[in-house]
Amino acid sequence: MTWTDEELVARSIRGDSESFNELVLRWERPIYSLAYRTIGREEDARDVCQETFLRAFRGLPAFRGQAKFSSWLYRIALNLCRDWMRRQRRAPIVQAPEDVDLVELAAAREPSESIEDLVARNDLSKVVERAMARLPEEQRTAIILKEYHGLTFQEIADLLDCPLSTVKTRLYQGLSVLRKQLREAGVQGTFES
Amino acid sequence: MCNDPELILGYVYGELPEAERRGFDAHLATCAACRGEVAELRAARGHLAAWTPPEPDFGFQIVRGNSAPAARRWWPAPAWGLAAAAVLVLAAAAAIANVEVRYDADGLVVRTGWARDAAASQGASAAAGGVTQVATTPEAWRSQITAIDARLRDLERAATRDGVAPGTQLASGPRLSDAEIIRRVREMVGQSETRQQREFAMQIAQVLRDVDRARQLDFLQIRQTLGQHRAQTTSDVAKTLNYYVTRVSQEK
């Protein structure tokens, strides 16, 4: 039987550790991805992820279900990312190595993908990562939540405590700057509708 | 409709109401500028999809039970789950001891009250049962980890006494005995402790560096002040001598 997040939260509060275990398993990767894309450091993203679940666990008794559990987790993780950036007083760091490790890459290859496509995709990934790291934090966060976590505009507004129109403005401006940077980096191509 | 970013975004992300979407579709058929804008945004979205974070290596194996209810289940071993797991283990194992885990403005509170009356006031139970704040200082962490370790030893003894519980196994791999799982958890506790110690040592080193820097600054300041006093004193002596020489010469 598959429990909803909220049911698992209720069971965790009642002392069922396996339920919290299930929540961790369910959300560890999204939270890690959010942290990594926000701060750009693998190890620190893991720490943020760890701290997010620890705080969530500690805060479970106070969680009244006023928001979705996932939104609550996202909020904790984003606050931790902000704290991290404040402490570091710097923008996200791009860790992408200069050299391409073909062996490592091959492990991530899609069955139908040639090695040339794979290298190109990896290069594009680095370019996008660098371009994202240069965006202002607010625009970057809006893009991350929308593109990689599939939140609606309203959910992002609720999460960031800002008006709906602000979310759309940040997203639009972020995408505009991003596509300019990608063009300057030599990334071409448009998607015809 | 042109130059309306919110409308274009809503269209690109499929969040427009049906009527607005149809209206914008009709507009796109006649407006090359908006068509271009939509295509550009979709291209940017396509490029964004290429950015994949590295696969996280949390350094643990996930323990899953069989579909049948397991006689005993254990936490997975993610590093962040460790402290949480430990508190939960303590709470669950000591259920008969009426353990309460609470988090509020004062932080995480683990309250124990043996055979405490449920209606007893918080203050009374705190006095009777004792309240442990989960603090963030290395010493506090260490003592908590020690307590967790002791609890794990108790559980291990109980597991040995009860025999191996069925239904607990790795997601992909051979079954593990409870003793083996406890051993692994203890290893992780050890790693966590080592890490805390390392961080503590780094903090101490930083404090020592700060103290040393402050000391050097103080010395420098004292030296400068002494120099100023010396110069001033020399000047005062010269003035006094000059005064006496002048008076003596006048008296003569």
Side-chain angles (χ1 to χ4, degrees), chain A:
Chain A
M1 178 174 182
T2 305
W3 302 97
T4 65
D5 285 350
E6 284 63 35
E7 286 166 338
L8 289 172
V9 167
R11 293 167 66 89
S12 300
I13 291 172
R14 290 198 296 269
D16 179 7
S17 60
E18 182 65 19
S19 293
F20 193 75
N21 173 18
E22 185 62 34
L23 286 168
V24 172
L25 289 173
R26 194 174 284 184
W27 288 102
E28 63 192 0
R29 273 172 173 71
I31 294 298
Y32 168 79
S33 300
L34 174 68
Y36 177 79
R37 287 190 169 108
T38 304
I39 64 182
R41 289 176 73 102
E42 207 172 334
E43 195 165 327
D44 290 321
R46 273 203 301 270
D47 287 346
V48 164
C49 193
Q50 170 182 330
E51 185 65 19
T52 298
F53 284 102
L54 193 54
R55 288 197 184 187
F57 176 76
R58 288 172 171 173
L60 271 182
F63 179 67
R64 297 274 175 264
Q66 59 274 38
K68 283 202 302 188
F69 176 73
S70 56
S71 301
W72 186 55
L73 271 187
Y74 280 141
R75 189 189 290 266
I76 296 172
L78 283 174
N79 284 337
L80 287 169
C81 288
R82 282 196 198 112
D83 289 347
W84 184 90
M85 285 190 279
R86 208 171 293 132
R87 277 200 309 275
Q88 304 292 319
R89 293 196 185 111
R90 60 190 182 198
I93 294 165
V94 179
Q95 277 191 313
E98 292 303 319
D99 299 328
V100 175
D101 185 340
L102 291 178
V103 176
E104 196 177 301
L105 269 182
R109 185 170 59 153
E110 298 291 331
S112 60
E113 203 171 24
S114 71
I115 197 72
E116 290 81 7
D117 290 341
L118 188 64
V119 172
R121 181 159 66 87
N122 188 58
D123 286 345
L124 179 58
S125 177
K126 287 183 203 169
V127 171
V128 171
E129 186 168 5
R130 289 193 187 104
M132 285 288 285
R134 283 199 290 268
L135 288 181
E137 184 202 329
E138 291 172 337
Q139 294 175 10
R140 187 171 66 249
T141 303
I143 291 178
I144 290 169
L145 292 173
K146 186 68 194 163
E147 283 295 332
Y148 301 108
H149 298 274
L151 271 61
T152 64
F153 296 131
Q154 188 59 57
E155 285 170 335
I156 298 173
D158 292 341
L159 191 60
L160 301 179
D161 284 327
C162 64
L164 193 60
S165 57
T166 305
V167 170
K168 290 179 181 175
T169 303
R170 288 176 185 173
L171 188 60
Y172 189 79
Q173 288 175 344
L175 287 173
S176 300
V177 174
L178 190 77
R179 69 194 200 202
K180 182 170 174 285
Q181 288 181 358
L182 292 178
R183 202 179 300 124
E184 286 170 1
V187 178
Q188 303 292 332
T190 56
F191 284 28
E192 290 301 334
S193 53

Side-chain angles (χ1 to χ4, degrees), chain B residues 77-137:
Chain B
W80 62 72
L82 196 55
V87 177
L88 260 188
V89 164
L90 284 171
I96 52 166
N98 213 359
V99 170
E100 176 191 344
V101 180
R102 180 169 58 80
Y103 182 70
D104 55 21
D106 298 327
L108 182 64
V109 176
V110 182
R111 191 189 304 280
T112 60
W114 291 94
R116 189 184 61 204
D117 181 16
S121 69
Q122 280 195 349
S125 63
V131 175
T132 306
Q133 290 283 346
V134 176
T136 54
T137 60

Side-chain angles (χ1 to χ4, degrees), chain B residues 49 69 76 92 115 121 132 143 156 165 196 214 219 230 234:
Chain B
S121 69
T132 306
S143 69
E156 188 176 17
Q196 291 289 334
F219 276 138
R230 195 174 297 141
T234 308

Side-chain angles (χ1 to χ4, degrees), chain B residues 8-81:
Chain B
I8 295 176
L9 269 186
Y11 182 81
V12 168
Y13 283 101
E15 286 196 38
L16 284 184
E18 183 59 24
E20 274 190 66
R21 191 191 62 76
R22 277 205 301 270
F24 196 71
D25 268 335
H27 171 73
L28 283 181
T30 59
C31 180
C34 283
R35 265 205 314 278
E37 184 68 2
V38 167
E40 286 276 333
L41 285 172
R42 284 182 172 155
R45 294 194 63 197
H47 297 321
L48 280 168
W51 181 24
T52 50
E55 187 63 21
D57 175 16
F58 293 114
F60 63 89
Q61 290 181 298
I62 296 161
V63 178
R64 290 184 188 280
N66 288 334
S67 52
R72 184 178 297 143
R73 292 193 177 189
W74 290 95
W75 282 82
W80 62 72

